[in-house]
Amino acid sequence: MSESVIADFVGQFNSEVASRGDPIKGRVVLSQKRLVLAASEDDKLTIPLDSIFDIAIGQVPPDLGDFFKSTVTIAFEKNGRRLVAAVEADDEKIEKFGTLLFKAIVNGTETTVKERARVGGRVTDDEFQSARLYLTPGTVEFRRGDDTFAIALETVSDFERTTREIAGASRPVLVVRHMQDGTAVTTLAALASSRKMAILGRYLRREYSGLMEELQNVDLTKDKKEVLVAMYSTGDMEGMPLASILGKDSAAVSMLLQDLEADGLIQDGSDGPTLTPKGQVVASRFLEDVNA
């Protein structure tokens, strides 16, 4: 193939297209335009990337058997049929391959983005602008020439898919609520392709669920939540005694701050403790709980 090869490794694979029942060993070759599963020179399955409509890591359809462990499952269209193929390799290789496959499909996609559609509770008059979408480690980037607007996934508090009318046409839109410089911001990103929007949503759900699992392991008592929300609500803490704001003993607040730092939710700054991006997300989520 003339296009650049992104990944080339030996693994096991199976597909609803193949007549064989068990997975077979062979080469897995990913390029900028296609995925090739080659058992031999005469036995190969070529899947154009523009025919792929879903990707799942770690899930195998029952019809493909119980042989697979670490897998990437690819749903694609061929000759008017919707089919599935599964690729297996070791954990590290599969994780890398899955990420590369997502990027190969999504990166460079033309997007219409409104970076700050809402700031706090205020709807802005910002306009949609054209940009190209790229997935980078822990970040979604929107690039316009030399200008790049990036959303760090660890700052995202919520996201959803909806449909809106843009320039007279109904478009699938990704609504991302995230923190930016300590402020809650909503960004809207519209893609012309529903297929790519679905794949982007799958990627974000996977990355975001990993971040949420980390938060679920943090023991957030009512007192810890109150500290986080107080820091989030007051912003710059310089000259503000947190114990007085909370109406708590300073020694007790110091212990809570130590625990929150160990949880990765606050950090020491030059002007005192500040919320980490993760801490900002947690605080924004619990704001209504504390005020209730």
Side-chain angles (χ1 to χ4, degrees), residues 152-159 177-179 204-220 265 277-286:
L153 295 181
E154 66 175 356
T155 69
V156 174
S157 58
D158 189 23
F159 66 89
R177 301 174 185 88
H178 58 106
M179 303 302 299
L204 292 176
R205 283 192 296 273
R206 173 176 168 76
E207 295 294 306
Y208 189 66
S209 64
L211 294 171
M212 290 303 100
E213 284 178 11
E214 293 180 15
L215 294 183
Q216 289 175 359
N217 294 328
V218 177
D219 181 20
L220 291 175
L265 301 178
K278 186 190 297 185
Q280 292 174 352
V281 170
V282 173
S284 66
R285 285 185 159 219
F286 289 124

PDB file of all heavy atoms in Angstrom, residues 152-159 177-179 204-220 265 277-286:
ATOM      1  N   ALA A 152      -8.289  19.382  28.177  1.00  0.00           N
ATOM      2  CA  ALA A 152      -7.693  18.272  28.919  1.00  0.00           C
ATOM      3  C   ALA A 152      -8.825  17.415  29.483  1.00  0.00           C
ATOM      4  O   ALA A 152      -9.732  17.932  30.153  1.00  0.00           O
ATOM      5  CB  ALA A 152      -6.801  18.799  30.043  1.00  0.00           C
ATOM      6  N   LEU A 153      -8.800  16.118  29.218  1.00  0.00           N
ATOM      7  CA  LEU A 153      -9.899  15.251  29.632  1.00  0.00           C
ATOM      8  C   LEU A 153     -10.061  15.211  31.151  1.00  0.00           C
ATOM      9  O   LEU A 153     -11.168  15.005  31.650  1.00  0.00           O
ATOM     10  CB  LEU A 153      -9.683  13.839  29.084  1.00  0.00           C
ATOM     11  CG  LEU A 153      -9.735  13.724  27.555  1.00  0.00           C
ATOM     12  CD1 LEU A 153      -9.524  12.278  27.121  1.00  0.00           C
ATOM     13  CD2 LEU A 153     -11.050  14.247  27.012  1.00  0.00           C
ATOM     14  N   GLU A 154      -8.973  15.448  31.890  1.00  0.00           N
ATOM     15  CA  GLU A 154      -9.084  15.423  33.348  1.00  0.00           C
ATOM     16  C   GLU A 154      -9.864  16.623  33.878  1.00  0.00           C
ATOM     17  O   GLU A 154     -10.247  16.647  35.049  1.00  0.00           O
ATOM     18  CB  GLU A 154      -7.703  15.370  33.998  1.00  0.00           C
ATOM     19  CG  GLU A 154      -6.856  16.617  33.782  1.00  0.00           C
ATOM     20  CD  GLU A 154      -5.547  16.559  34.543  1.00  0.00           C
ATOM     21  OE1 GLU A 154      -5.338  15.591  35.295  1.00  0.00           O
ATOM     22  OE2 GLU A 154      -4.740  17.491  34.394  1.00  0.00           O
ATOM     23  N   THR A 155     -10.112  17.638  33.024  1.00  0.00           N
ATOM     24  CA  THR A 155     -10.890  18.806  33.450  1.00  0.00           C
ATOM     25  C   THR A 155     -12.358  18.690  33.067  1.00  0.00           C
ATOM     26  O   THR A 155     -13.146  19.590  33.357  1.00  0.00           O
ATOM     27  CB  THR A 155     -10.327  20.105  32.841  1.00  0.00           C
ATOM     28  OG1 THR A 155     -10.565  20.108  31.422  1.00  0.00           O
ATOM     29  CG2 THR A 155      -8.832  20.238  33.106  1.00  0.00           C
ATOM     30  N   VAL A 156     -12.748  17.600  32.404  1.00  0.00           N
ATOM     31  CA  VAL A 156     -14.122  17.443  31.924  1.00  0.00           C
ATOM     32  C   VAL A 156     -15.017  16.936  33.059  1.00  0.00           C
ATOM     33  O   VAL A 156     -14.718  15.938  33.711  1.00  0.00           O
ATOM     34  CB  VAL A 156     -14.176  16.458  30.736  1.00  0.00           C
ATOM     35  CG1 VAL A 156     -15.621  16.176  30.339  1.00  0.00           C
ATOM     36  CG2 VAL A 156     -13.408  17.026  29.554  1.00  0.00           C
ATOM     37  N   SER A 157     -16.109  17.655  33.278  1.00  0.00           N
ATOM     38  CA  SER A 157     -17.068  17.233  34.305  1.00  0.00           C
ATOM     39  C   SER A 157     -18.223  16.440  33.700  1.00  0.00           C
ATOM     40  O   SER A 157     -18.861  15.642  34.385  1.00  0.00           O
ATOM     41  CB  SER A 157     -17.623  18.444  35.060  1.00  0.00           C
ATOM     42  OG  SER A 157     -18.242  19.357  34.175  1.00  0.00           O
ATOM     43  N   ASP A 158     -18.500  16.648  32.409  1.00  0.00           N
ATOM     44  CA  ASP A 158     -19.606  15.942  31.769  1.00  0.00           C
ATOM     45  C   ASP A 158     -19.558  16.200  30.264  1.00  0.00           C
ATOM     46  O   ASP A 158     -19.015  17.211  29.816  1.00  0.00           O
ATOM     47  CB  ASP A 158     -20.944  16.446  32.334  1.00  0.00           C
ATOM     48  CG  ASP A 158     -22.118  15.605  31.875  1.00  0.00           C
ATOM     49  OD1 ASP A 158     -21.903  14.436  31.504  1.00  0.00           O
ATOM     50  OD2 ASP A 158     -23.254  16.120  31.867  1.00  0.00           O
ATOM     51  N   PHE A 159     -20.116  15.270  29.488  1.00  0.00           N
ATOM     52  CA  PHE A 159     -20.271  15.512  28.053  1.00  0.00           C
ATOM     53  C   PHE A 159     -21.458  14.714  27.542  1.00  0.00           C
ATOM     54  O   PHE A 159     -21.856  13.708  28.140  1.00  0.00           O
ATOM     55  CB  PHE A 159     -18.998  15.182  27.265  1.00  0.00           C
ATOM     56  CG  PHE A 159     -18.625  13.735  27.248  1.00  0.00           C
ATOM     57  CD1 PHE A 159     -19.109  12.887  26.267  1.00  0.00           C
ATOM     58  CD2 PHE A 159     -17.777  13.202  28.212  1.00  0.00           C
ATOM     59  CE1 PHE A 159     -18.762  11.540  26.245  1.00  0.00           C
ATOM     60  CE2 PHE A 159     -17.429  11.859  28.204  1.00  0.00           C
ATOM     61  CZ  PHE A 159     -17.923  11.031  27.216  1.00  0.00           C
ATOM     62  N   ARG A 177     -18.639  19.872  28.957  1.00  0.00           N
ATOM     63  CA  ARG A 177     -18.562  20.774  30.106  1.00  0.00           C
ATOM     64  C   ARG A 177     -17.243  20.505  30.816  1.00  0.00           C
ATOM     65  O   ARG A 177     -16.989  19.371  31.219  1.00  0.00           O
ATOM     66  CB  ARG A 177     -19.752  20.562  31.032  1.00  0.00           C
ATOM     67  CG  ARG A 177     -21.099  20.796  30.344  1.00  0.00           C
ATOM     68  CD  ARG A 177     -22.289  20.448  31.228  1.00  0.00           C
ATOM     69  NE  ARG A 177     -23.536  20.575  30.470  1.00  0.00           N
ATOM     70  CZ  ARG A 177     -24.078  19.601  29.748  1.00  0.00           C
ATOM     71  NH1 ARG A 177     -23.472  18.420  29.695  1.00  0.00           N
ATOM     72  NH2 ARG A 177     -25.194  19.797  29.070  1.00  0.00           N
ATOM     73  N   HIS A 178     -16.427  21.536  30.958  1.00  0.00           N
ATOM     74  CA  HIS A 178     -15.096  21.341  31.510  1.00  0.00           C
ATOM     75  C   HIS A 178     -14.643  22.587  32.252  1.00  0.00           C
ATOM     76  O   HIS A 178     -15.290  23.644  32.199  1.00  0.00           O
ATOM     77  CB  HIS A 178     -14.093  21.000  30.387  1.00  0.00           C
ATOM     78  CG  HIS A 178     -14.012  22.031  29.313  1.00  0.00           C
ATOM     79  ND1 HIS A 178     -12.946  22.899  29.182  1.00  0.00           N
ATOM     80  CD2 HIS A 178     -14.861  22.355  28.287  1.00  0.00           C
ATOM     81  CE1 HIS A 178     -13.134  23.684  28.143  1.00  0.00           C
ATOM     82  NE2 HIS A 178     -14.279  23.380  27.574  1.00  0.00           N
ATOM     83  N   MET A 179     -13.511  22.476  32.960  1.00  0.00           N
ATOM     84  CA  MET A 179     -12.947  23.591  33.695  1.00  0.00           C
ATOM     85  C   MET A 179     -11.862  24.243  32.853  1.00  0.00           C
ATOM     86  O   MET A 179     -11.066  23.564  32.208  1.00  0.00           O
ATOM     87  CB  MET A 179     -12.364  23.119  35.022  1.00  0.00           C
ATOM     88  CG  MET A 179     -13.349  22.400  35.939  1.00  0.00           C
ATOM     89  SD  MET A 179     -14.795  23.391  36.354  1.00  0.00           S
ATOM     90  CE  MET A 179     -14.006  24.779  37.175  1.00  0.00           C
ATOM     91  N   LEU A 204     -14.080   8.983  23.894  1.00  0.00           N
ATOM     92  CA  LEU A 204     -14.194   9.838  25.072  1.00  0.00           C
ATOM     93  C   LEU A 204     -14.800   9.079  26.248  1.00  0.00           C
ATOM     94  O   LEU A 204     -14.352   9.244  27.389  1.00  0.00           O
ATOM     95  CB  LEU A 204     -15.045  11.064  24.756  1.00  0.00           C
ATOM     96  CG  LEU A 204     -14.426  12.076  23.781  1.00  0.00           C
ATOM     97  CD1 LEU A 204     -15.413  13.190  23.484  1.00  0.00           C
ATOM     98  CD2 LEU A 204     -13.124  12.643  24.348  1.00  0.00           C
ATOM     99  N   ARG A 205     -15.811   8.254  26.000  1.00  0.00           N
ATOM    100  CA  ARG A 205     -16.410   7.472  27.087  1.00  0.00           C
ATOM    101  C   ARG A 205     -15.380   6.548  27.713  1.00  0.00           C
ATOM    102  O   ARG A 205     -15.337   6.368  28.933  1.00  0.00           O
ATOM    103  CB  ARG A 205     -17.608   6.666  26.584  1.00  0.00           C
ATOM    104  CG  ARG A 205     -18.861   7.489  26.385  1.00  0.00           C
ATOM    105  CD  ARG A 205     -20.079   6.606  26.181  1.00  0.00           C
ATOM    106  NE  ARG A 205     -19.981   5.812  24.965  1.00  0.00           N
ATOM    107  CZ  ARG A 205     -20.355   6.225  23.778  1.00  0.00           C
ATOM    108  NH1 ARG A 205     -20.840   7.447  23.626  1.00  0.00           N
ATOM    109  NH2 ARG A 205     -20.260   5.442  22.722  1.00  0.00           N
ATOM    110  N   ARG A 206     -14.543   5.950  26.878  1.00  0.00           N
ATOM    111  CA  ARG A 206     -13.512   5.046  27.392  1.00  0.00           C
ATOM    112  C   ARG A 206     -12.490   5.802  28.243  1.00  0.00           C
ATOM    113  O   ARG A 206     -12.158   5.390  29.359  1.00  0.00           O
ATOM    114  CB  ARG A 206     -12.806   4.345  26.230  1.00  0.00           C
ATOM    115  CG  ARG A 206     -11.603   3.520  26.650  1.00  0.00           C
ATOM    116  CD  ARG A 206     -10.998   2.784  25.477  1.00  0.00           C
ATOM    117  NE  ARG A 206      -9.716   2.236  25.841  1.00  0.00           N
ATOM    118  CZ  ARG A 206      -9.531   1.162  26.588  1.00  0.00           C
ATOM    119  NH1 ARG A 206     -10.572   0.507  27.054  1.00  0.00           N
ATOM    120  NH2 ARG A 206      -8.320   0.730  26.871  1.00  0.00           N
ATOM    121  N   GLU A 207     -11.985   6.917  27.710  1.00  0.00           N
ATOM    122  CA  GLU A 207     -10.996   7.691  28.452  1.00  0.00           C
ATOM    123  C   GLU A 207     -11.604   8.289  29.719  1.00  0.00           C
ATOM    124  O   GLU A 207     -10.974   8.293  30.778  1.00  0.00           O
ATOM    125  CB  GLU A 207     -10.451   8.817  27.557  1.00  0.00           C
ATOM    126  CG  GLU A 207      -9.671   8.337  26.352  1.00  0.00           C
ATOM    127  CD  GLU A 207      -8.389   7.628  26.742  1.00  0.00           C
ATOM    128  OE1 GLU A 207      -7.596   8.211  27.487  1.00  0.00           O
ATOM    129  OE2 GLU A 207      -8.189   6.482  26.294  1.00  0.00           O
ATOM    130  N   TYR A 208     -12.815   8.788  29.605  1.00  0.00           N
ATOM    131  CA  TYR A 208     -13.465   9.459  30.729  1.00  0.00           C
ATOM    132  C   TYR A 208     -13.822   8.469  31.829  1.00  0.00           C
ATOM    133  O   TYR A 208     -13.717   8.784  33.016  1.00  0.00           O
ATOM    134  CB  TYR A 208     -14.717  10.174  30.225  1.00  0.00           C
ATOM    135  CG  TYR A 208     -15.362  11.086  31.227  1.00  0.00           C
ATOM    136  CD1 TYR A 208     -14.706  12.236  31.676  1.00  0.00           C
ATOM    137  CD2 TYR A 208     -16.641  10.837  31.715  1.00  0.00           C
ATOM    138  CE1 TYR A 208     -15.300  13.088  32.579  1.00  0.00           C
ATOM    139  CE2 TYR A 208     -17.242  11.682  32.611  1.00  0.00           C
ATOM    140  CZ  TYR A 208     -16.571  12.814  33.047  1.00  0.00           C
ATOM    141  OH  TYR A 208     -17.161  13.652  33.942  1.00  0.00           O
ATOM    142  N   SER A 209     -14.242   7.260  31.454  1.00  0.00           N
ATOM    143  CA  SER A 209     -14.607   6.260  32.472  1.00  0.00           C
ATOM    144  C   SER A 209     -13.394   5.891  33.312  1.00  0.00           C
ATOM    145  O   SER A 209     -13.515   5.642  34.515  1.00  0.00           O
ATOM    146  CB  SER A 209     -15.188   5.009  31.802  1.00  0.00           C
ATOM    147  OG  SER A 209     -14.215   4.367  30.987  1.00  0.00           O
ATOM    148  N   GLY A 210     -12.197   5.884  32.685  1.00  0.00           N
ATOM    149  CA  GLY A 210     -10.982   5.614  33.454  1.00  0.00           C
ATOM    150  C   GLY A 210     -10.720   6.697  34.484  1.00  0.00           C
ATOM    151  O   GLY A 210     -10.338   6.406  35.633  1.00  0.00           O
ATOM    152  N   LEU A 211     -10.949   7.960  34.105  1.00  0.00           N
ATOM    153  CA  LEU A 211     -10.769   9.061  35.047  1.00  0.00           C
ATOM    154  C   LEU A 211     -11.794   8.985  36.165  1.00  0.00           C
ATOM    155  O   LEU A 211     -11.488   9.241  37.339  1.00  0.00           O
ATOM    156  CB  LEU A 211     -10.891  10.399  34.316  1.00  0.00           C
ATOM    157  CG  LEU A 211      -9.802  10.705  33.291  1.00  0.00           C
ATOM    158  CD1 LEU A 211     -10.163  11.953  32.495  1.00  0.00           C
ATOM    159  CD2 LEU A 211      -8.455  10.901  33.981  1.00  0.00           C
ATOM    160  N   MET A 212     -13.038   8.621  35.835  1.00  0.00           N
ATOM    161  CA  MET A 212     -14.084   8.529  36.857  1.00  0.00           C
ATOM    162  C   MET A 212     -13.825   7.379  37.824  1.00  0.00           C
ATOM    163  O   MET A 212     -14.152   7.468  39.009  1.00  0.00           O
ATOM    164  CB  MET A 212     -15.449   8.354  36.190  1.00  0.00           C
ATOM    165  CG  MET A 212     -15.939   9.603  35.462  1.00  0.00           C
ATOM    166  SD  MET A 212     -16.056  11.076  36.519  1.00  0.00           S
ATOM    167  CE  MET A 212     -14.538  11.949  36.094  1.00  0.00           C
ATOM    168  N   GLU A 213     -13.215   6.300  37.339  1.00  0.00           N
ATOM    169  CA  GLU A 213     -12.863   5.197  38.231  1.00  0.00           C
ATOM    170  C   GLU A 213     -11.861   5.655  39.287  1.00  0.00           C
ATOM    171  O   GLU A 213     -11.920   5.240  40.441  1.00  0.00           O
ATOM    172  CB  GLU A 213     -12.294   4.029  37.424  1.00  0.00           C
ATOM    173  CG  GLU A 213     -13.343   3.236  36.671  1.00  0.00           C
ATOM    174  CD  GLU A 213     -12.729   2.113  35.856  1.00  0.00           C
ATOM    175  OE1 GLU A 213     -11.517   1.845  36.054  1.00  0.00           O
ATOM    176  OE2 GLU A 213     -13.439   1.516  35.033  1.00  0.00           O
ATOM    177  N   GLU A 214     -10.928   6.517  38.879  1.00  0.00           N
ATOM    178  CA  GLU A 214      -9.969   7.059  39.837  1.00  0.00           C
ATOM    179  C   GLU A 214     -10.680   7.863  40.916  1.00  0.00           C
ATOM    180  O   GLU A 214     -10.342   7.774  42.098  1.00  0.00           O
ATOM    181  CB  GLU A 214      -8.955   7.951  39.119  1.00  0.00           C
ATOM    182  CG  GLU A 214      -8.021   7.212  38.173  1.00  0.00           C
ATOM    183  CD  GLU A 214      -7.040   8.156  37.505  1.00  0.00           C
ATOM    184  OE1 GLU A 214      -6.902   9.311  37.991  1.00  0.00           O
ATOM    185  OE2 GLU A 214      -6.420   7.762  36.510  1.00  0.00           O
ATOM    186  N   LEU A 215     -11.681   8.647  40.524  1.00  0.00           N
ATOM    187  CA  LEU A 215     -12.406   9.464  41.493  1.00  0.00           C
ATOM    188  C   LEU A 215     -13.231   8.602  42.438  1.00  0.00           C
ATOM    189  O   LEU A 215     -13.409   8.946  43.603  1.00  0.00           O
ATOM    190  CB  LEU A 215     -13.312  10.453  40.766  1.00  0.00           C
ATOM    191  CG  LEU A 215     -12.625  11.531  39.936  1.00  0.00           C
ATOM    192  CD1 LEU A 215     -13.659  12.466  39.337  1.00  0.00           C
ATOM    193  CD2 LEU A 215     -11.638  12.330  40.787  1.00  0.00           C
ATOM    194  N   GLN A 216     -13.759   7.491  41.935  1.00  0.00           N
ATOM    195  CA  GLN A 216     -14.574   6.619  42.782  1.00  0.00           C
ATOM    196  C   GLN A 216     -13.764   5.988  43.899  1.00  0.00           C
ATOM    197  O   GLN A 216     -14.306   5.610  44.940  1.00  0.00           O
ATOM    198  CB  GLN A 216     -15.232   5.532  41.929  1.00  0.00           C
ATOM    199  CG  GLN A 216     -16.324   6.060  41.019  1.00  0.00           C
ATOM    200  CD  GLN A 216     -16.872   4.991  40.095  1.00  0.00           C
ATOM    201  OE1 GLN A 216     -16.426   3.833  40.116  1.00  0.00           O
ATOM    202  NE2 GLN A 216     -17.832   5.369  39.259  1.00  0.00           N
ATOM    203  N   ASN A 217     -12.453   5.892  43.710  1.00  0.00           N
ATOM    204  CA  ASN A 217     -11.596   5.313  44.740  1.00  0.00           C
ATOM    205  C   ASN A 217     -11.214   6.325  45.813  1.00  0.00           C
ATOM    206  O   ASN A 217     -10.548   5.976  46.788  1.00  0.00           O
ATOM    207  CB  ASN A 217     -10.319   4.746  44.093  1.00  0.00           C
ATOM    208  CG  ASN A 217     -10.617   3.564  43.192  1.00  0.00           C
ATOM    209  OD1 ASN A 217     -11.537   2.809  43.450  1.00  0.00           O
ATOM    210  ND2 ASN A 217      -9.836   3.418  42.134  1.00  0.00           N
ATOM    211  N   VAL A 218     -11.614   7.593  45.636  1.00  0.00           N
ATOM    212  CA  VAL A 218     -11.306   8.631  46.616  1.00  0.00           C
ATOM    213  C   VAL A 218     -12.429   8.707  47.638  1.00  0.00           C
ATOM    214  O   VAL A 218     -13.606   8.781  47.273  1.00  0.00           O
ATOM    215  CB  VAL A 218     -11.137  10.005  45.919  1.00  0.00           C
ATOM    216  CG1 VAL A 218     -10.887  11.091  46.952  1.00  0.00           C
ATOM    217  CG2 VAL A 218      -9.991   9.949  44.920  1.00  0.00           C
ATOM    218  N   ASP A 219     -12.071   8.654  48.910  1.00  0.00           N
ATOM    219  CA  ASP A 219     -13.052   8.714  49.997  1.00  0.00           C
ATOM    220  C   ASP A 219     -13.387  10.176  50.267  1.00  0.00           C
ATOM    221  O   ASP A 219     -12.639  10.882  50.950  1.00  0.00           O
ATOM    222  CB  ASP A 219     -12.487   8.050  51.253  1.00  0.00           C
ATOM    223  CG  ASP A 219     -13.491   8.074  52.406  1.00  0.00           C
ATOM    224  OD1 ASP A 219     -14.695   8.243  52.128  1.00  0.00           O
ATOM    225  OD2 ASP A 219     -13.075   7.939  53.572  1.00  0.00           O
ATOM    226  N   LEU A 220     -14.514  10.631  49.716  1.00  0.00           N
ATOM    227  CA  LEU A 220     -14.899  12.030  49.869  1.00  0.00           C
ATOM    228  C   LEU A 220     -15.984  12.155  50.939  1.00  0.00           C
ATOM    229  O   LEU A 220     -17.164  11.934  50.679  1.00  0.00           O
ATOM    230  CB  LEU A 220     -15.407  12.584  48.539  1.00  0.00           C
ATOM    231  CG  LEU A 220     -14.341  12.733  47.450  1.00  0.00           C
ATOM    232  CD1 LEU A 220     -14.980  13.162  46.143  1.00  0.00           C
ATOM    233  CD2 LEU A 220     -13.282  13.726  47.859  1.00  0.00           C
ATOM    234  N   LEU A 265      -6.379  16.030  44.806  1.00  0.00           N
ATOM    235  CA  LEU A 265      -7.421  17.002  44.509  1.00  0.00           C
ATOM    236  C   LEU A 265      -6.994  18.442  44.778  1.00  0.00           C
ATOM    237  O   LEU A 265      -7.607  19.378  44.252  1.00  0.00           O
ATOM    238  CB  LEU A 265      -8.683  16.678  45.314  1.00  0.00           C
ATOM    239  CG  LEU A 265      -9.272  15.279  45.054  1.00  0.00           C
ATOM    240  CD1 LEU A 265     -10.495  15.045  45.927  1.00  0.00           C
ATOM    241  CD2 LEU A 265      -9.631  15.107  43.591  1.00  0.00           C
ATOM    242  N   PRO A 277      -6.777  20.215  38.550  1.00  0.00           N
ATOM    243  CA  PRO A 277      -7.886  20.076  37.586  1.00  0.00           C
ATOM    244  C   PRO A 277      -8.904  19.030  38.024  1.00  0.00           C
ATOM    245  O   PRO A 277     -10.112  19.244  37.894  1.00  0.00           O
ATOM    246  CB  PRO A 277      -7.163  19.652  36.298  1.00  0.00           C
ATOM    247  CG  PRO A 277      -5.811  20.286  36.415  1.00  0.00           C
ATOM    248  CD  PRO A 277      -5.464  20.182  37.875  1.00  0.00           C
ATOM    249  N   LYS A 278      -8.432  17.920  38.568  1.00  0.00           N
ATOM    250  CA  LYS A 278      -9.346  16.893  39.064  1.00  0.00           C
ATOM    251  C   LYS A 278     -10.177  17.428  40.229  1.00  0.00           C
ATOM    252  O   LYS A 278     -11.378  17.177  40.335  1.00  0.00           O
ATOM    253  CB  LYS A 278      -8.562  15.657  39.508  1.00  0.00           C
ATOM    254  CG  LYS A 278      -9.442  14.478  39.915  1.00  0.00           C
ATOM    255  CD  LYS A 278      -8.636  13.374  40.572  1.00  0.00           C
ATOM    256  CE  LYS A 278      -7.625  12.760  39.663  1.00  0.00           C
ATOM    257  NZ  LYS A 278      -6.937  11.605  40.297  1.00  0.00           N
ATOM    258  N   GLY A 279      -9.518  18.201  41.116  1.00  0.00           N
ATOM    259  CA  GLY A 279     -10.224  18.789  42.245  1.00  0.00           C
ATOM    260  C   GLY A 279     -11.297  19.766  41.805  1.00  0.00           C
ATOM    261  O   GLY A 279     -12.374  19.845  42.403  1.00  0.00           O
ATOM    262  N   GLN A 280     -11.027  20.524  40.738  1.00  0.00           N
ATOM    263  CA  GLN A 280     -12.014  21.469  40.212  1.00  0.00           C
ATOM    264  C   GLN A 280     -13.246  20.730  39.692  1.00  0.00           C
ATOM    265  O   GLN A 280     -14.383  21.162  39.910  1.00  0.00           O
ATOM    266  CB  GLN A 280     -11.388  22.311  39.106  1.00  0.00           C
ATOM    267  CG  GLN A 280     -10.316  23.267  39.593  1.00  0.00           C
ATOM    268  CD  GLN A 280      -9.617  23.980  38.455  1.00  0.00           C
ATOM    269  OE1 GLN A 280      -9.822  23.660  37.290  1.00  0.00           O
ATOM    270  NE2 GLN A 280      -8.779  24.950  38.785  1.00  0.00           N
ATOM    271  N   VAL A 281     -13.015  19.610  39.007  1.00  0.00           N
ATOM    272  CA  VAL A 281     -14.128  18.823  38.486  1.00  0.00           C
ATOM    273  C   VAL A 281     -14.972  18.283  39.626  1.00  0.00           C
ATOM    274  O   VAL A 281     -16.208  18.363  39.612  1.00  0.00           O
ATOM    275  CB  VAL A 281     -13.614  17.671  37.595  1.00  0.00           C
ATOM    276  CG1 VAL A 281     -14.755  16.703  37.257  1.00  0.00           C
ATOM    277  CG2 VAL A 281     -12.984  18.217  36.334  1.00  0.00           C
ATOM    278  N   VAL A 282     -14.308  17.714  40.645  1.00  0.00           N
ATOM    279  CA  VAL A 282     -15.026  17.148  41.788  1.00  0.00           C
ATOM    280  C   VAL A 282     -15.815  18.229  42.504  1.00  0.00           C
ATOM    281  O   VAL A 282     -16.991  18.051  42.854  1.00  0.00           O
ATOM    282  CB  VAL A 282     -14.046  16.468  42.760  1.00  0.00           C
ATOM    283  CG1 VAL A 282     -14.764  16.033  44.029  1.00  0.00           C
ATOM    284  CG2 VAL A 282     -13.392  15.266  42.096  1.00  0.00           C
ATOM    285  N   ALA A 283     -15.197  19.385  42.733  1.00  0.00           N
ATOM    286  CA  ALA A 283     -15.860  20.478  43.444  1.00  0.00           C
ATOM    287  C   ALA A 283     -17.086  20.969  42.696  1.00  0.00           C
ATOM    288  O   ALA A 283     -18.140  21.217  43.303  1.00  0.00           O
ATOM    289  CB  ALA A 283     -14.872  21.624  43.664  1.00  0.00           C
ATOM    290  N   SER A 284     -16.975  21.100  41.372  1.00  0.00           N
ATOM    291  CA  SER A 284     -18.121  21.578  40.592  1.00  0.00           C
ATOM    292  C   SER A 284     -19.270  20.584  40.652  1.00  0.00           C
ATOM    293  O   SER A 284     -20.443  20.962  40.659  1.00  0.00           O
ATOM    294  CB  SER A 284     -17.712  21.825  39.139  1.00  0.00           C
ATOM    295  OG  SER A 284     -17.357  20.620  38.481  1.00  0.00           O
ATOM    296  N   ARG A 285     -18.946  19.298  40.737  1.00  0.00           N
ATOM    297  CA  ARG A 285     -19.982  18.267  40.805  1.00  0.00           C
ATOM    298  C   ARG A 285     -20.711  18.282  42.149  1.00  0.00           C
ATOM    299  O   ARG A 285     -21.893  17.991  42.225  1.00  0.00           O
ATOM    300  CB  ARG A 285     -19.366  16.883  40.580  1.00  0.00           C
ATOM    301  CG  ARG A 285     -19.005  16.611  39.139  1.00  0.00           C
ATOM    302  CD  ARG A 285     -18.523  15.182  38.952  1.00  0.00           C
ATOM    303  NE  ARG A 285     -18.655  14.799  37.555  1.00  0.00           N
ATOM    304  CZ  ARG A 285     -19.041  13.598  37.129  1.00  0.00           C
ATOM    305  NH1 ARG A 285     -19.351  12.673  38.002  1.00  0.00           N
ATOM    306  NH2 ARG A 285     -19.124  13.327  35.853  1.00  0.00           N
ATOM    307  N   PHE A 286     -19.971  18.594  43.213  1.00  0.00           N
ATOM    308  CA  PHE A 286     -20.564  18.537  44.552  1.00  0.00           C
ATOM    309  C   PHE A 286     -21.114  19.877  45.021  1.00  0.00           C
ATOM    310  O   PHE A 286     -21.642  19.975  46.120  1.00  0.00           O
ATOM    311  CB  PHE A 286     -19.537  18.029  45.564  1.00  0.00           C
ATOM    312  CG  PHE A 286     -19.224  16.572  45.409  1.00  0.00           C
ATOM    313  CD1 PHE A 286     -17.901  16.148  45.216  1.00  0.00           C
ATOM    314  CD2 PHE A 286     -20.221  15.619  45.433  1.00  0.00           C
ATOM    315  CE1 PHE A 286     -17.611  14.810  45.072  1.00  0.00           C
ATOM    316  CE2 PHE A 286     -19.938  14.273  45.284  1.00  0.00           C
ATOM    317  CZ  PHE A 286     -18.622  13.877  45.098  1.00  0.00           C
TER     318      PHE A 286
END
